[in-house]
Amino acid sequence: MRVNAYAAPSAGQPLAPTTIERRDVGANDVLIEIQYAGICHSDIHTVNGDWGPQPFPVVPGHEIVGVVTEVGPDVTRHQVGDRVGVGCMVNSCGECTNCRNGDEQYCLDGMVPTYAGTDRDGTTTQGGYSTHVVVDADYVLTVPEGLDAAAAAPLLCAGITTYAPLRTWGAGPGKRVAIVGLGGLGHMAVKIAHALGAEVTVLSQSLKKQEDGLRLGADDYHATSDPATFEHLAGRFDLIVNTVSAKIDLDAYLGLLAVDGTLVNVGAPAEPLSLNVFSLIGARRSFAGSMIGGIALTQEMLDFCAEHHLGAEVEVIRADQVNEAYERVLASDVRYRFVIDTATLA
């Protein structure tokens, strides 16, 4: 079926309205009428070519919430009328060790991203800046009642990207957790870490978002532009989650970790990061990375957010405002996630 969408025609070019072809609904597929699609910094990196060549034209969007309008004959998990979500992946091999362990995002054959990827049938995937999408039912999530649809959309990337390391590294009561950056990822990290029971500190370049940070659940807030911050907080944290997609001084941040502490990178800057190994061996510290979560963990995250009434802080926009939104994301002029009302694509 032909559907309306917004696509980047080539690297660095403004997104423009277009139509794309969605495949027929297969035996285990679900057709979703998209209601909301979040704008992730990854979308901007992709369409700008920051992460290498892309299969243009590209329809971005991997924070999708909508309603099921058709299911294949083999689908049992979802029914017409269900409110569902789609995150950053729409397929994987399903057979490798990682897939069998519920870590489909680390599929040894390579998971299939929601856009700019090659699906198992050889077609190029196109994302959520569109009116409809067809997805394998095994990669479709249930969006619980109690979550606002627009506020739930960013949970499919920003939510799981931060929930995964917080759960993996044991954020909870008695743990001191720092969140680097208070943007689309960071504001969800603060909310989730607080709900998990951890003591939460925000580390941001300035104090201009301090009031927001404390309102979202942070216990403390410090400006990293002040060198005294790194002296005052030396050796304090059990876990630091770095959400920024820019180069930072890893050695300085590693110095904030206690013995056996871990700095986890979830932000994905275009340029390489480097560190001095003595920043690690001096206190048995670890530097790690994390990327979204498997389907089961993503569903757990959605259920957790519903239970604790957690949604993203969003600004809903029309589809024809997407290029302006990209500029504002790059200028850090959003609190804290743009979400496209895809009805404006009709």
PDB file of all heavy atoms in Angstrom, residues 279-304:
ATOM      1  N   SER A 279      42.684   5.723  34.349  1.00  0.00           N
ATOM      2  CA  SER A 279      41.404   6.152  34.904  1.00  0.00           C
ATOM      3  C   SER A 279      40.541   4.954  35.293  1.00  0.00           C
ATOM      4  O   SER A 279      39.649   5.076  36.129  1.00  0.00           O
ATOM      5  CB  SER A 279      40.646   7.011  33.887  1.00  0.00           C
ATOM      6  OG  SER A 279      41.357   8.177  33.568  1.00  0.00           O
ATOM      7  N   LEU A 280      40.823   3.805  34.681  1.00  0.00           N
ATOM      8  CA  LEU A 280      40.088   2.585  34.993  1.00  0.00           C
ATOM      9  C   LEU A 280      40.769   1.774  36.089  1.00  0.00           C
ATOM     10  O   LEU A 280      40.154   1.401  37.089  1.00  0.00           O
ATOM     11  CB  LEU A 280      39.947   1.718  33.737  1.00  0.00           C
ATOM     12  CG  LEU A 280      39.206   2.325  32.546  1.00  0.00           C
ATOM     13  CD1 LEU A 280      39.272   1.373  31.353  1.00  0.00           C
ATOM     14  CD2 LEU A 280      37.763   2.627  32.898  1.00  0.00           C
ATOM     15  N   ILE A 281      42.061   1.523  35.894  1.00  0.00           N
ATOM     16  CA  ILE A 281      42.732   0.588  36.808  1.00  0.00           C
ATOM     17  C   ILE A 281      42.992   1.191  38.178  1.00  0.00           C
ATOM     18  O   ILE A 281      43.214   0.463  39.146  1.00  0.00           O
ATOM     19  CB  ILE A 281      44.039   0.059  36.187  1.00  0.00           C
ATOM     20  CG1 ILE A 281      45.061   1.189  35.991  1.00  0.00           C
ATOM     21  CG2 ILE A 281      43.774  -0.630  34.861  1.00  0.00           C
ATOM     22  CD1 ILE A 281      46.385   0.697  35.423  1.00  0.00           C
ATOM     23  N   GLY A 282      42.912   2.507  38.291  1.00  0.00           N
ATOM     24  CA  GLY A 282      43.170   3.141  39.573  1.00  0.00           C
ATOM     25  C   GLY A 282      42.119   2.863  40.628  1.00  0.00           C
ATOM     26  O   GLY A 282      42.381   3.027  41.824  1.00  0.00           O
ATOM     27  N   ALA A 283      40.910   2.463  40.213  1.00  0.00           N
ATOM     28  CA  ALA A 283      39.860   2.162  41.197  1.00  0.00           C
ATOM     29  C   ALA A 283      38.951   1.028  40.709  1.00  0.00           C
ATOM     30  O   ALA A 283      37.786   0.968  41.090  1.00  0.00           O
ATOM     31  CB  ALA A 283      39.034   3.413  41.492  1.00  0.00           C
ATOM     32  N   ARG A 284      39.507   0.165  39.877  1.00  0.00           N
ATOM     33  CA  ARG A 284      38.757  -0.990  39.353  1.00  0.00           C
ATOM     34  C   ARG A 284      37.443  -0.541  38.706  1.00  0.00           C
ATOM     35  O   ARG A 284      36.393  -1.173  38.862  1.00  0.00           O
ATOM     36  CB  ARG A 284      38.497  -2.006  40.463  1.00  0.00           C
ATOM     37  CG  ARG A 284      38.342  -3.450  39.963  1.00  0.00           C
ATOM     38  CD  ARG A 284      38.499  -4.467  41.068  1.00  0.00           C
ATOM     39  NE  ARG A 284      37.568  -4.197  42.163  1.00  0.00           N
ATOM     40  CZ  ARG A 284      37.854  -4.405  43.457  1.00  0.00           C
ATOM     41  NH1 ARG A 284      39.049  -4.875  43.799  1.00  0.00           N
ATOM     42  NH2 ARG A 284      36.967  -4.148  44.400  1.00  0.00           N
ATOM     43  N   ARG A 285      37.544   0.550  37.981  1.00  0.00           N
ATOM     44  CA  ARG A 285      36.358   1.087  37.322  1.00  0.00           C
ATOM     45  C   ARG A 285      36.161   0.437  35.954  1.00  0.00           C
ATOM     46  O   ARG A 285      37.081  -0.154  35.389  1.00  0.00           O
ATOM     47  CB  ARG A 285      36.506   2.603  37.145  1.00  0.00           C
ATOM     48  CG  ARG A 285      36.681   3.372  38.446  1.00  0.00           C
ATOM     49  CD  ARG A 285      36.889   4.857  38.153  1.00  0.00           C
ATOM     50  NE  ARG A 285      37.025   5.638  39.381  1.00  0.00           N
ATOM     51  CZ  ARG A 285      38.090   6.346  39.733  1.00  0.00           C
ATOM     52  NH1 ARG A 285      39.162   6.348  38.935  1.00  0.00           N
ATOM     53  NH2 ARG A 285      38.112   7.035  40.845  1.00  0.00           N
ATOM     54  N   SER A 286      34.952   0.603  35.413  1.00  0.00           N
ATOM     55  CA  SER A 286      34.615   0.055  34.103  1.00  0.00           C
ATOM     56  C   SER A 286      34.014   1.142  33.221  1.00  0.00           C
ATOM     57  O   SER A 286      33.322   2.035  33.693  1.00  0.00           O
ATOM     58  CB  SER A 286      33.596  -1.091  34.235  1.00  0.00           C
ATOM     59  OG  SER A 286      34.113  -2.148  35.023  1.00  0.00           O
ATOM     60  N   PHE A 287      34.311   1.022  31.923  1.00  0.00           N
ATOM     61  CA  PHE A 287      33.673   1.879  30.923  1.00  0.00           C
ATOM     62  C   PHE A 287      32.921   0.953  29.985  1.00  0.00           C
ATOM     63  O   PHE A 287      33.491   0.006  29.436  1.00  0.00           O
ATOM     64  CB  PHE A 287      34.712   2.697  30.154  1.00  0.00           C
ATOM     65  CG  PHE A 287      34.138   3.545  29.052  1.00  0.00           C
ATOM     66  CD1 PHE A 287      33.077   4.403  29.284  1.00  0.00           C
ATOM     67  CD2 PHE A 287      34.671   3.477  27.765  1.00  0.00           C
ATOM     68  CE1 PHE A 287      32.545   5.178  28.259  1.00  0.00           C
ATOM     69  CE2 PHE A 287      34.147   4.256  26.734  1.00  0.00           C
ATOM     70  CZ  PHE A 287      33.084   5.109  26.985  1.00  0.00           C
ATOM     71  N   ALA A 288      31.634   1.184  29.817  1.00  0.00           N
ATOM     72  CA  ALA A 288      30.788   0.263  29.065  1.00  0.00           C
ATOM     73  C   ALA A 288      29.882   1.020  28.110  1.00  0.00           C
ATOM     74  O   ALA A 288      29.767   2.251  28.175  1.00  0.00           O
ATOM     75  CB  ALA A 288      29.944  -0.577  30.027  1.00  0.00           C
ATOM     76  N   GLY A 289      29.259   0.269  27.231  1.00  0.00           N
ATOM     77  CA  GLY A 289      28.268   0.826  26.325  1.00  0.00           C
ATOM     78  C   GLY A 289      26.996   0.010  26.395  1.00  0.00           C
ATOM     79  O   GLY A 289      26.999  -1.153  26.813  1.00  0.00           O
ATOM     80  N   SER A 290      25.890   0.619  25.976  1.00  0.00           N
ATOM     81  CA  SER A 290      24.613  -0.073  25.991  1.00  0.00           C
ATOM     82  C   SER A 290      23.754   0.468  24.864  1.00  0.00           C
ATOM     83  O   SER A 290      23.796   1.667  24.561  1.00  0.00           O
ATOM     84  CB  SER A 290      23.906   0.130  27.340  1.00  0.00           C
ATOM     85  OG  SER A 290      22.649  -0.520  27.384  1.00  0.00           O
ATOM     86  N   MET A 291      22.977  -0.435  24.243  1.00  0.00           N
ATOM     87  CA  MET A 291      22.132  -0.041  23.113  1.00  0.00           C
ATOM     88  C   MET A 291      20.735  -0.619  23.285  1.00  0.00           C
ATOM     89  O   MET A 291      20.561  -1.830  23.328  1.00  0.00           O
ATOM     90  CB  MET A 291      22.736  -0.553  21.806  1.00  0.00           C
ATOM     91  CG  MET A 291      21.951  -0.178  20.560  1.00  0.00           C
ATOM     92  SD  MET A 291      22.669  -0.885  19.052  1.00  0.00           S
ATOM     93  CE  MET A 291      22.171  -2.599  19.223  1.00  0.00           C
ATOM     94  N   ILE A 292      19.755   0.193  23.412  1.00  0.00           N
ATOM     95  CA  ILE A 292      18.348  -0.171  23.605  1.00  0.00           C
ATOM     96  C   ILE A 292      18.211  -1.422  24.463  1.00  0.00           C
ATOM     97  O   ILE A 292      18.947  -1.617  25.418  1.00  0.00           O
ATOM     98  CB  ILE A 292      17.570  -0.249  22.268  1.00  0.00           C
ATOM     99  CG1 ILE A 292      18.150  -1.276  21.293  1.00  0.00           C
ATOM    100  CG2 ILE A 292      17.491   1.113  21.633  1.00  0.00           C
ATOM    101  CD1 ILE A 292      17.266  -1.547  20.073  1.00  0.00           C
ATOM    102  N   GLY A 293      17.238  -2.279  24.156  1.00  0.00           N
ATOM    103  CA  GLY A 293      17.024  -3.501  24.906  1.00  0.00           C
ATOM    104  C   GLY A 293      16.284  -4.487  24.024  1.00  0.00           C
ATOM    105  O   GLY A 293      15.749  -4.129  22.964  1.00  0.00           O
ATOM    106  N   GLY A 294      16.221  -5.732  24.461  1.00  0.00           N
ATOM    107  CA  GLY A 294      15.457  -6.730  23.729  1.00  0.00           C
ATOM    108  C   GLY A 294      13.964  -6.472  23.852  1.00  0.00           C
ATOM    109  O   GLY A 294      13.516  -5.597  24.604  1.00  0.00           O
ATOM    110  N   ILE A 295      13.177  -7.250  23.127  1.00  0.00           N
ATOM    111  CA  ILE A 295      11.733  -7.049  23.115  1.00  0.00           C
ATOM    112  C   ILE A 295      11.130  -7.259  24.509  1.00  0.00           C
ATOM    113  O   ILE A 295      10.300  -6.471  24.969  1.00  0.00           O
ATOM    114  CB  ILE A 295      11.067  -7.977  22.088  1.00  0.00           C
ATOM    115  CG1 ILE A 295      11.513  -7.591  20.673  1.00  0.00           C
ATOM    116  CG2 ILE A 295       9.548  -7.919  22.206  1.00  0.00           C
ATOM    117  CD1 ILE A 295      11.169  -6.179  20.261  1.00  0.00           C
ATOM    118  N   ALA A 296      11.548  -8.307  25.207  1.00  0.00           N
ATOM    119  CA  ALA A 296      10.991  -8.566  26.543  1.00  0.00           C
ATOM    120  C   ALA A 296      11.329  -7.442  27.509  1.00  0.00           C
ATOM    121  O   ALA A 296      10.477  -7.006  28.294  1.00  0.00           O
ATOM    122  CB  ALA A 296      11.507  -9.909  27.077  1.00  0.00           C
ATOM    123  N   LEU A 297      12.573  -6.944  27.461  1.00  0.00           N
ATOM    124  CA  LEU A 297      12.957  -5.861  28.365  1.00  0.00           C
ATOM    125  C   LEU A 297      12.233  -4.570  27.996  1.00  0.00           C
ATOM    126  O   LEU A 297      11.862  -3.785  28.877  1.00  0.00           O
ATOM    127  CB  LEU A 297      14.470  -5.647  28.325  1.00  0.00           C
ATOM    128  CG  LEU A 297      15.018  -4.683  29.385  1.00  0.00           C
ATOM    129  CD1 LEU A 297      14.852  -5.279  30.783  1.00  0.00           C
ATOM    130  CD2 LEU A 297      16.482  -4.348  29.134  1.00  0.00           C
ATOM    131  N   THR A 298      12.006  -4.344  26.714  1.00  0.00           N
ATOM    132  CA  THR A 298      11.280  -3.150  26.295  1.00  0.00           C
ATOM    133  C   THR A 298       9.843  -3.196  26.799  1.00  0.00           C
ATOM    134  O   THR A 298       9.299  -2.180  27.255  1.00  0.00           O
ATOM    135  CB  THR A 298      11.307  -3.002  24.763  1.00  0.00           C
ATOM    136  OG1 THR A 298      12.669  -3.001  24.321  1.00  0.00           O
ATOM    137  CG2 THR A 298      10.653  -1.704  24.330  1.00  0.00           C
ATOM    138  N   GLN A 299       9.226  -4.363  26.727  1.00  0.00           N
ATOM    139  CA  GLN A 299       7.863  -4.487  27.278  1.00  0.00           C
ATOM    140  C   GLN A 299       7.872  -4.282  28.786  1.00  0.00           C
ATOM    141  O   GLN A 299       6.976  -3.632  29.338  1.00  0.00           O
ATOM    142  CB  GLN A 299       7.272  -5.854  26.933  1.00  0.00           C
ATOM    143  CG  GLN A 299       5.789  -5.965  27.285  1.00  0.00           C
ATOM    144  CD  GLN A 299       4.927  -5.002  26.498  1.00  0.00           C
ATOM    145  OE1 GLN A 299       4.890  -5.045  25.267  1.00  0.00           O
ATOM    146  NE2 GLN A 299       4.243  -4.099  27.202  1.00  0.00           N
ATOM    147  N   GLU A 300       8.889  -4.811  29.452  1.00  0.00           N
ATOM    148  CA  GLU A 300       9.031  -4.586  30.901  1.00  0.00           C
ATOM    149  C   GLU A 300       9.122  -3.100  31.202  1.00  0.00           C
ATOM    150  O   GLU A 300       8.520  -2.599  32.162  1.00  0.00           O
ATOM    151  CB  GLU A 300      10.276  -5.311  31.410  1.00  0.00           C
ATOM    152  CG  GLU A 300      10.570  -5.094  32.904  1.00  0.00           C
ATOM    153  CD  GLU A 300      11.890  -5.707  33.337  1.00  0.00           C
ATOM    154  OE1 GLU A 300      12.102  -6.907  33.066  1.00  0.00           O
ATOM    155  OE2 GLU A 300      12.702  -4.987  33.942  1.00  0.00           O
ATOM    156  N   MET A 301       9.902  -2.376  30.393  1.00  0.00           N
ATOM    157  CA  MET A 301      10.055  -0.942  30.580  1.00  0.00           C
ATOM    158  C   MET A 301       8.722  -0.214  30.423  1.00  0.00           C
ATOM    159  O   MET A 301       8.364   0.658  31.223  1.00  0.00           O
ATOM    160  CB  MET A 301      11.086  -0.402  29.596  1.00  0.00           C
ATOM    161  CG  MET A 301      11.297   1.114  29.581  1.00  0.00           C
ATOM    162  SD  MET A 301      10.106   2.034  28.542  1.00  0.00           S
ATOM    163  CE  MET A 301      10.358   1.260  26.947  1.00  0.00           C
ATOM    164  N   LEU A 302       7.963  -0.562  29.383  1.00  0.00           N
ATOM    165  CA  LEU A 302       6.672   0.079  29.173  1.00  0.00           C
ATOM    166  C   LEU A 302       5.728  -0.187  30.342  1.00  0.00           C
ATOM    167  O   LEU A 302       5.023   0.723  30.810  1.00  0.00           O
ATOM    168  CB  LEU A 302       6.045  -0.422  27.869  1.00  0.00           C
ATOM    169  CG  LEU A 302       6.685   0.080  26.574  1.00  0.00           C
ATOM    170  CD1 LEU A 302       6.145  -0.704  25.377  1.00  0.00           C
ATOM    171  CD2 LEU A 302       6.454   1.570  26.382  1.00  0.00           C
ATOM    172  N   ASP A 303       5.713  -1.414  30.828  1.00  0.00           N
ATOM    173  CA  ASP A 303       4.864  -1.752  31.970  1.00  0.00           C
ATOM    174  C   ASP A 303       5.313  -1.007  33.226  1.00  0.00           C
ATOM    175  O   ASP A 303       4.477  -0.534  34.013  1.00  0.00           O
ATOM    176  CB  ASP A 303       4.887  -3.266  32.216  1.00  0.00           C
ATOM    177  CG  ASP A 303       4.275  -4.057  31.060  1.00  0.00           C
ATOM    178  OD1 ASP A 303       3.518  -3.471  30.265  1.00  0.00           O
ATOM    179  OD2 ASP A 303       4.577  -5.267  30.953  1.00  0.00           O
ATOM    180  N   PHE A 304       6.630  -0.896  33.415  1.00  0.00           N
ATOM    181  CA  PHE A 304       7.181  -0.159  34.561  1.00  0.00           C
ATOM    182  C   PHE A 304       6.770   1.313  34.490  1.00  0.00           C
ATOM    183  O   PHE A 304       6.347   1.904  35.489  1.00  0.00           O
ATOM    184  CB  PHE A 304       8.703  -0.290  34.561  1.00  0.00           C
ATOM    185  CG  PHE A 304       9.405   0.478  35.646  1.00  0.00           C
ATOM    186  CD1 PHE A 304       9.615  -0.091  36.904  1.00  0.00           C
ATOM    187  CD2 PHE A 304       9.875   1.772  35.418  1.00  0.00           C
ATOM    188  CE1 PHE A 304      10.263   0.617  37.913  1.00  0.00           C
ATOM    189  CE2 PHE A 304      10.528   2.480  36.416  1.00  0.00           C
ATOM    190  CZ  PHE A 304      10.716   1.902  37.663  1.00  0.00           C
TER     191      PHE A 304
END
